Amino acid sequence: MKYQAKRATKSDKCEDMSAILLSDAVLRTLPCHRNGFSGKQNCHNLVFDHKWHPMAVIHKTFPKKKRKSLYASAWPSRSRLVVCSSMGGDSGEDFTNFFDDGDGPSGKSKVLEIGENELLATRESLSEARKREEAIEKERDKLLEELARSEAKQQEYMATIMHDKELAVAELEAAKALFHQKLQESVEEKFNLESQLVLAKQDALELAVQVEKLAEIAFQQATSHILEDAQLRVAAAETSAAEAACQIEEQIRSATEGTILSIVKQSRDAIEKALAVAQAAGDYTAKAMAAFTDDLNPVEEIVSIKSKNVKLQNALTDLESQLLGSKNEIGRLKLELEQTLQRANAYELQVYNAEKQLLEFQESTRKAAHQQEEEVRVLLEKMKKDSADRRKAASKAFKVELETIKAALEAAKEAAHSKDEAYMRRCEALQRSLKAAEATSETWRRRAEVAESLLLKQVPLSEGEEDAIYVVNGGRIDLLMDDDSQKWKLLSDGPRREIPDWMTRQIRSICPKFPPRKIGLSEARLSKFKTLELPKPDEVWSIAQEKTKEGDTFVEHVMEKEIIEKKRKALERALQRKTVKWQITPEETKLEPGTGTGREIVFQGFNWESWRRQWYLELAPKAADLSRCGITAVWFPPPTESVAPQGYMPSDLYNLNSAYGSQEELKYCIEEMHNQDLLALGDVVLNHRCAHKQSPNGVWNIFGGRLAWGPEAIVCDDPNFQGSGNPSSGDIFHAAPNIDHSQDFVRRDIKEWLNWLRNDIGFDGWRLDFVRGFSGGYVKEYVEASNPAFAIGEYWDSLAYEGGNLCYNQDAHRQRIVNWINATGGTSSAFDVTTKGILHSALHNQYWRLIDPQGKPTGVMGWWPSRAVTFLENHDTGSTQGHWPFPREKLMQGYAYILTHPGTPVVFYDHFYDFGIRDIITELIEARRRSGIHCRSPIKIYHAHNDGYVAKIGDTLVVKLGQFDWNPSKEVDLDGSWQKFVDKGMDYQLWLRQ
């Protein structure tokens, strides 16, 4: 043929040629040739023909006069089906036109003479076509094998999906079983609690009845004893009064009778004497008359008569005097009689008063009995009300707990349901991908069958498809892509589950390399050629569009598992908190600034040299360790800007960029403490503040920053800074201006600053520095305004010494600290400096110092334990300052004392992390926790002498200090079974009640 010669002689026409001549039932693919001029690679097209004899394929650029058609005389004229794939560089290139030349006469055949060379060429072409047919057969077999492998891989994927689904269902069933078990346990616990509540109610009622009976019996006994005693006293008083009256009457009667008898006797004697004298005078007169008459000498007689008359007068005078004495005696007796009558009246009045008092006592006893009955009735009503409140609270708490459990179960069910839905969506997506893959395989199978049928001349073409040209997806399969494609990553990494490394390596090892796309998809759609409509990639891998979005429940398996695990742990923590809540007594839940929860253990988180490092960043990682060891609160260093790097000479209170770190680092450190459920206590200096500027007098008393105060904020009796405020309410701190807290604006600014530290920075409580400098009433106002969880005041005063030795009686010292706590209204606790000072001497075989005459501890702990904060050392007494260091060899004994006794103990940073006794302190904290010791625990001291110290704290812990050979079995008054918990030999030993 002429066109064959032209193709052989003109290679540049190869770019324009679009078809070749094929024999019947031959699928021929011409090889690719490289254009010598442009260097482009051009591939010939696939031509399918089902004629038995060669056909003329005419290029569109040939003129019509050069077109020739080949017909066989016996051959019918019919159309041909051509499948062409264009892979040229430009989409606008001309495609080859194929057509039949039907100019031959109908029903006749024209015979074309064929030369010998052309026949040989035809035979070679035929053999070449047969070879290509065999190659196509092999390629078809290879495709079928790949299809079989693809189906096997699909089955493997399907099996894996089913296995994952079974695992998910099994996990879901296990989770459901676990939650049902938890629910059953919760229901059983509910029944147990209800039964316990009923028993407790019955016990309370029985106890109330017993209390009422005992009160009635005690009241009757007390009343009967009192009445009997009163009656006996009244009878005794009446008897004594009657006896006294009888005695007085008898004395009066005897005295009167004796007096009268003596007077009568004396009168009789006097009358008899007078009669005798008168008779003698008569006789003498008779004798005188006789003598006169007998001429006797009358002068002698007259003299004798005068003498006798004088004697008679003397006798009369004596008689008168005796009569006067008798009268006086009678008057005295009358006076005594009157006094006796007065005494009798007084006794009668006493008897009347006794009767009146008896009546009043009976009335008061009756009233007291009535009041006691009323109090008992009120107490019973209160007990009933408390019991009802407890029952309601328990019921409410149980309902809340049940609701929490239900919510947790609902959340778990929702998570399981979401997980199930996620798995179902995954399965559906994989099923869609499998269906798409099956559809793709079916399409390729149909294409193979079409090709095979075309080769074997089995499938007839419809009229509309006779002259159609099919282009496969723009000239190549879109599923075949390079390594940079996101779809290939999806193919290699899998849809949503982890693929084993060996499978990933295998997938990456078979990654094909394909030439770049020649024709764009948009251009292919605009072309006039029909497509085979192969499945699109998004149809094959529709799961690629399933991406995790915010709020989407379709999440990865690992994330779902983590969420379920987190919810399970949250449920367990909630149940644990509820369980612990049932065991906490009302005393334990009491929260006030002076005591915190009552179970605080404070850790001083710095020393005097901490400012030299980035302390906040160094302290934050220790929060988890402190929480594990039992610490509940961490005492931070002073946070404000300070003239001294340690922070105790503050200047601008709102500037928290200090030597310990920046404000952000401080907030980060506090947040770490809160994450571990630790309180953050800020060290606030309220007594003094350093000024920023000098006054015109050259005195530093002008403050700057946000709180720009002047001299009016400084006390007037500060000798160094010329303050114009009121006198100080405490001691003067001479190193800096002392703040006048009596000024309203000062207190207002301080309260705002404390609330800023609480709300914006995150502090939970305060350590108040140098509280001796101002009144405790201002501390009460600051505490009530800022509402801290815990507050501690530093009231450091000197102990009493005598001759260089510590005095035994330190009541005056602890009384000063108690007075300051009382001035704060109990809103703040205080460091028990008294106990620290006593321990210095007591632990050197002077343990008798640890008990006062009342049998209590000798420090503030013995008088007000809930407000006593016990410690051994701090940044002032120890560290590099060492003002008052605790004996290092006695540290373990010291901590054994303060961590087992009431009050709030403080652990110093150096001791915990630098002295190598961290485990010992942790062990003592654990003993305190197990025995339930708190700041108000009762204490009973059994022994305190030179050899040792023994005390029972609460009901469950006994501690022994010193070399005293003792154990609980040796103590008669110590009942119960005790187990040794800590044994440090001669230093200390602890026992816990079993």
Side-chain angles (χ1 to χ4, degrees):
M1 297 290 292
K2 292 181 179 180
Y3 74 90
Q4 291 178 350
K6 290 181 180 179
R7 182 174 60 85
T9 57
K10 297 181 180 180
S11 59
D12 55 345
K13 295 290 185 67
C14 180
E15 184 179 356
D16 297 328
M17 192 182 332
S18 301
I20 62 173
L21 181 62
L22 295 177
S23 60
D24 290 336
V26 176
L27 175 63
R28 182 176 182 181
T29 305
L30 295 181
C32 298
H33 298 278
R34 187 171 299 276
N35 193 318
F37 299 98
S38 62
K40 295 182 179 179
Q41 182 179 1
N42 296 300
C43 295
H44 293 283
N45 301 300
L46 297 176
V47 179
F48 301 93
D49 195 358
H50 55 276
K51 291 249 181 207
W52 283 95
H53 298 284
M55 299 175 295
V57 183
I58 310 301
H59 194 277
K60 68 178 182 177
T61 58
F62 289 178
K64 289 185 178 181
K65 63 181 180 178
K66 292 185 179 180
R67 295 178 185 176
K68 294 182 180 181
S69 300
L70 299 178
Y71 296 93
S73 60
W75 296 349
S77 177
R78 58 181 300 182
S79 301
R80 298 171 303 282
L81 175 64
V82 179
V83 180
C84 176
S85 178
S86 174
M87 303 191 68
D90 296 326
S91 63
E93 292 181 354
D94 296 333
F95 292 92
T96 308
N97 295 325
F98 301 92
F99 60 90
D100 278 338
D101 189 2
D103 294 337
S106 175
K108 294 182 180 181
S109 300
K110 292 183 181 180
V111 179
L112 180 64
E113 295 181 358
I114 303 173
E116 185 177 356
N117 295 330
E118 293 179 356
L119 182 59
L120 292 174
T122 303
R123 289 178 179 177
E124 290 176 359
S125 299
L126 182 59
S127 62
E128 185 180 355
R130 287 177 180 175
K131 292 179 181 179
R132 292 186 180 278
E133 182 179 0
E134 293 176 357
I136 291 173
E137 286 291 335
K138 293 180 180 179
E139 186 177 358
R140 184 175 65 83
D141 294 338
K142 186 177 180 180
L143 289 174
L144 291 176
E145 291 178 359
E146 291 180 356
L147 181 62
R149 286 196 298 271
S150 175
E151 290 178 353
K153 192 175 292 185
Q154 290 175 2
Q155 291 178 359
E156 183 181 354
Y157 284 148
M158 195 65 185
T160 305
I161 292 168
M162 295 303 294
H163 179 66
D164 291 342
K165 184 177 180 181
E166 291 176 357
L167 289 177
V169 172
E171 290 179 0
L172 180 61
E173 292 296 332
K176 288 182 179 178
L178 178 62
F179 283 119
H180 284 305
Q181 183 181 359
K182 291 289 185 182
L183 181 61
Q184 187 66 25
E185 292 177 358
S186 301
V187 173
E188 292 177 358
E189 186 177 0
K190 173 190 174 184
F191 291 151
N192 293 332
L193 291 174
E194 288 180 350
S195 62
Q196 292 177 4
L197 183 62
V198 172
L199 293 175
K201 181 179 178 182
Q202 293 178 357
D203 294 339
L205 292 176
E206 292 177 358
L207 180 63
V209 172
Q210 293 177 1
V211 168
E212 187 175 1
K213 290 181 179 179
L214 290 174
E216 184 178 359
I217 293 171
F219 174 73
Q220 291 177 357
Q221 292 178 354
T223 306
S224 62
H225 288 313
I226 293 171
L227 290 175
E228 290 176 0
D229 190 15
Q231 290 175 359
L232 290 175
R233 289 185 179 182
V234 170
E238 290 178 351
T239 303
S240 61
E243 291 178 354
C246 292
Q247 290 177 0
I248 291 170
E249 289 178 358
E250 186 68 24
Q251 289 177 0
I252 292 171
R253 190 182 298 110
S254 60
T256 304
E257 289 178 355
T259 303
I260 292 173
L261 289 175
S262 61
I263 292 171
V264 170
K265 186 177 181 181
Q266 290 177 1
S267 299
R268 189 179 297 160
D269 292 339
I271 291 171
E272 288 178 354
K273 287 180 179 181
L275 291 175
V277 171
Q279 187 176 1
D283 293 339
Y284 184 74
T285 303
K287 287 179 179 182
M289 290 299 296
F292 184 74
T293 57
D294 291 337
D295 297 331
L296 294 176
N297 190 3
V299 177
E300 296 178 356
E301 292 294 334
I302 290 170
V303 172
S304 62
I305 289 169
K306 287 182 179 178
S307 61
K308 291 180 179 179
N309 192 13
V310 170
K311 291 180 179 178
L312 184 59
Q313 288 180 354
N314 293 331
L316 288 175
T317 303
D318 294 336
L319 185 61
E320 288 177 357
S321 63
Q322 289 179 0
L323 184 61
L324 182 61
S326 299
K327 289 181 180 179
N328 293 333
E329 184 69 20
I330 291 170
R332 184 180 65 79
L333 291 173
K334 287 182 179 179
L335 182 62
E336 288 180 356
L337 181 62
E338 289 178 358
Q339 291 178 354
T340 304
L341 291 175
Q342 289 179 358
R343 290 197 190 98
N345 293 331
Y347 279 119
E348 290 179 359
L349 183 60
Q350 288 179 359
V351 171
Y352 174 75
N353 291 332
E355 292 177 353
K356 185 177 180 182
Q357 289 178 0
L358 178 62
L359 294 176
E360 291 178 354
F361 178 74
Q362 291 176 350
E363 183 69 19
S364 62
T365 304
R366 187 180 62 80
K367 289 182 180 180
H370 182 69
Q371 184 178 1
Q372 191 171 5
E373 290 177 357
E374 187 69 21
E375 290 177 355
V376 171
R377 186 180 62 80
V378 172
L379 180 61
L380 290 175
E381 290 179 356
K382 185 177 180 181
M383 290 176 64
K384 292 179 182 179
K385 186 177 179 181
D386 292 342
S387 177
D389 292 340
R390 290 195 193 97
R391 186 171 63 254
K392 290 180 181 179
S395 177
K396 185 177 180 181
F398 182 77
K399 289 181 181 178
V400 172
E401 180 182 3
L402 192 59
E403 291 296 329
T404 305
I405 295 174
K406 288 181 179 179
L409 290 175
E410 290 295 331
K413 289 180 180 178
E414 183 180 355
H417 183 65
S418 301
K419 182 179 180 182
D420 195 10
E421 287 184 353
Y423 274 108
M424 293 301 295
R425 290 184 183 180
R426 182 183 301 173
C427 293
E428 290 175 0
L430 290 175
Q431 287 175 1
R432 289 198 302 269
S433 64
L434 288 174
K435 288 180 181 179
E438 290 175 358
T440 306
S441 301
E442 186 65 25
T443 303
W444 282 104
R445 187 181 296 110
R446 285 199 304 269
R447 289 189 61 198
E449 291 174 356
V450 169
E452 185 178 5
S453 64
L454 290 175
L455 291 173
L456 299 178
K457 201 172 62 172
Q458 292 178 357
V459 179
L461 297 174
S462 61
E463 295 180 358
E465 295 177 348
E466 290 179 352
D467 293 329
I469 300 175
Y470 287 88
V471 180
V472 182
N473 287 346
R476 67 171 189 163
I477 303 174
D478 283 347
L479 287 178
L480 305 179
M481 57 203 73
D482 54 12
D483 290 335
D484 296 333
S485 173
Q486 293 294 329
K487 298 175 182 178
W488 178 253
K489 291 181 180 179
L490 183 61
L491 284 171
S492 61
D493 296 338
R496 278 200 177 272
R497 64 183 181 87
E498 296 181 358
I499 298 178
D501 295 337
W502 62 270
M503 188 180 294
T504 305
R505 290 193 298 269
Q506 185 177 1
I507 292 174
R508 293 187 183 277
S509 64
I510 62 173
C511 175
K513 301 293 184 179
F514 297 99
R517 182 190 295 268
K518 298 300 181 181
I519 296 179
L521 182 62
S522 60
E523 297 173 352
R525 288 178 177 175
L526 295 175
S527 67
K528 62 181 180 179
F529 299 98
K530 294 178 66 178
T531 177
L532 287 179
E533 300 296 335
L534 295 179
K536 302 297 180 183
D538 55 352
E539 295 177 1
V540 178
W541 294 104
S542 59
I543 193 172
Q545 307 300 327
E546 300 280 350
K547 300 220 176 154
T548 305
K549 299 179 182 179
E550 186 177 358
D552 190 6
T553 58
F554 186 77
V555 292
E556 296 182 2
H557 173 66
V558 177
M559 295 175 63
E560 295 166 0
K561 189 172 181 181
E562 289 179 354
I563 291 173
I564 293 176
E565 186 68 17
K566 287 180 180 179
K567 291 186 177 180
R568 183 184 65 80
K569 290 182 179 179
L571 178 61
E572 290 180 354
R573 287 195 298 269
L575 291 174
Q576 185 178 6
R577 285 196 300 269
K578 295 295 182 181
T579 305
V580 173
K581 187 176 180 181
W582 287 106
Q583 301 173 354
I584 295 178
T585 62
E587 185 181 22
E588 293 175 350
T589 58
K590 187 177 181 181
L591 183 65
E592 53 186 83
T595 61
T597 61
R599 301 179 181 272
E600 307 296 349
I601 297 178
V602 182
F603 176 78
Q604 182 177 356
F606 66 98
N607 56 33
W608 193 251
E609 303 297 330
S610 297
W611 62 274
R612 299 183 184 276
R613 304 191 293 272
Q614 293 181 334
W615 192 246
Y616 295 143
L617 299 180
E618 189 172 328
L619 182 62
K622 293 181 171 61
D625 179 58
L626 294 173
S627 179
R628 282 193 302 270
C629 293
I631 300 297
T632 64
V634 178
W635 166 13
F636 277 66
T640 56
E641 177 191 31
S642 172
V643 174
Q646 291 80 11
Y648 290 99
M649 301 288 284
S651 54
D652 186 1
L653 298 184
Y654 280 91
N655 185 1
L656 301 187
N657 296 315
S658 65
Y660 298 99
S662 64
Q663 178 174 325
E664 295 302 323
E665 293 171 351
L666 172 61
K667 295 175 71 174
Y668 162 72
C669 188
I670 293 175
E671 184 179 358
E672 287 297 313
M673 300 298 165
H674 289 168
N675 292 337
Q676 300 297 329
D677 296 330
L678 297 174
L679 296 178
L681 306 181
D683 198 331
V684 292
V685 183
L686 303 180
N687 176 74
H688 51 272
R689 180 186 174 194
C690 293
H692 292 73
K693 299 177 183 179
Q694 290 177 307
S695 66
N697 298 330
V699 180
W700 291 89
N701 56 12
I702 306 297
F703 301 99
R706 184 170 171 180
L707 303 180
W709 299 336
E712 67 278 0
I714 304 174
V715 295
C716 61
D717 50 354
D718 190 330
N720 301 320
F721 298 98
Q722 297 182 5
S724 58
N726 296 318
S728 176
S729 57
D731 297 339
I732 296 296
F733 182 78
H734 297 282
N738 287 249
I739 301 302
D740 182 12
H741 292 272
S742 65
Q743 302 290 343
D744 293 337
F745 73 92
V746 170
R747 296 198 307 276
R748 182 181 65 251
D749 291 345
I750 290 177
K751 287 186 283 188
E752 289 179 359
W753 177 62
L754 291 175
N755 282 308
W756 177 73
L757 290 178
R758 282 273 287 135
N759 301 324
D760 293 356
I761 306 304
F763 281 113
D764 302 297
W766 318 122
R767 182 264 184 187
L768 305 169
D769 182 68
F770 196 74
V771 294
R772 286 176 55 191
F774 54 101
S775 172
Y778 300 129
V779 174
K780 178 182 179 181
E781 184 176 352
Y782 297 147
V783 169
E784 290 177 349
S786 58
N787 192 25
F790 194 35
I792 313 170
E794 183 206 22
Y795 194 95
W796 189 355
D797 198 2
S798 298
L799 277 74
Y801 290 87
E802 184 176 354
N805 296 321
L806 183 71
C807 295
Y808 167 73
N809 188 354
Q810 297 293 334
D811 289 349
H813 183 269
R814 58 175 170 174
Q815 184 65 56
R816 291 192 291 272
I817 299 177
V818 169
N819 290 341
W820 181 84
I821 299 173
N822 197 32
T824 68
T827 59
S828 175
S829 59
F831 288 110
D832 192 352
V833 184
T834 312
T835 296
K836 171 182 167 54
I838 292 173
L839 285 174
H840 276 254
S841 299
L843 298 182
H844 290 87
N845 297 329
Q846 297 179 14
Y847 299 100
W848 47 268
R849 293 182 178 273
L850 298 178
I851 184 172
D852 65 5
Q854 289 75 36
K856 297 181 180 180
T858 48
V860 180
M861 180 199 308
W863 283 359
W864 205 342
S866 64
R867 300 300 188 274
V869 178
T870 55
F871 71 105
L872 301 182
E873 266 186 4
N874 57 28
H875 58 285
D876 289 323
T877 64
S879 190
T880 56
Q881 291 200 99
H883 292 321
W884 193 19
F886 198 83
R888 187 158 184 173
E889 69 278 5
K890 298 296 181 181
L891 276 176
M892 292 192 298
Q893 277 192 347
Y895 277 114
Y897 182 83
I898 68 172
L899 288 174
T900 58
H901 280 61
T904 302
V906 179
V907 178
F908 187 39
Y909 180 91
D910 292 357
H911 299 164
F912 196 75
Y913 282 113
D914 297 338
F915 281 29
I917 58 174
R918 174 182 176 277
D919 295 337
I920 295 175
I921 295 175
T922 304
E923 187 178 42
L924 291 170
I925 293 175
E926 177 64 18
R928 183 184 182 92
R929 185 192 66 81
R930 289 192 182 187
S931 56
I933 303 300
H934 52 84
C935 67
R936 296 181 176 87
S937 295
I939 178 172
K940 182 177 181 180
I941 301 175
Y942 288 96
H943 303 282
H945 44 69
N946 289 333
D947 294 333
Y949 169 88
V950 177
K952 184 181 75 171
I953 301 90
D955 295 327
T956 58
L957 186 141
V958 172
V959 60
K960 179 188 80 70
L961 304 178
Q963 57 187 0
F964 180 41
D965 184 14
W966 183 91
N967 60 68
S969 62
K970 295 182 178 181
E971 198 66 43
V972 178
D973 298 336
L974 193 61
D975 57 347
S977 178
W978 297 85
Q979 181 180 6
K980 186 177 291 185
F981 183 72
V982 179
D983 187 358
K984 297 299 180 182
M986 296 294 100
D987 286 337
Y988 63 91
Q989 292 177 334
L990 301 181
W991 288 268
L992 297 180
R993 184 189 293 272
Q994 292 183 351

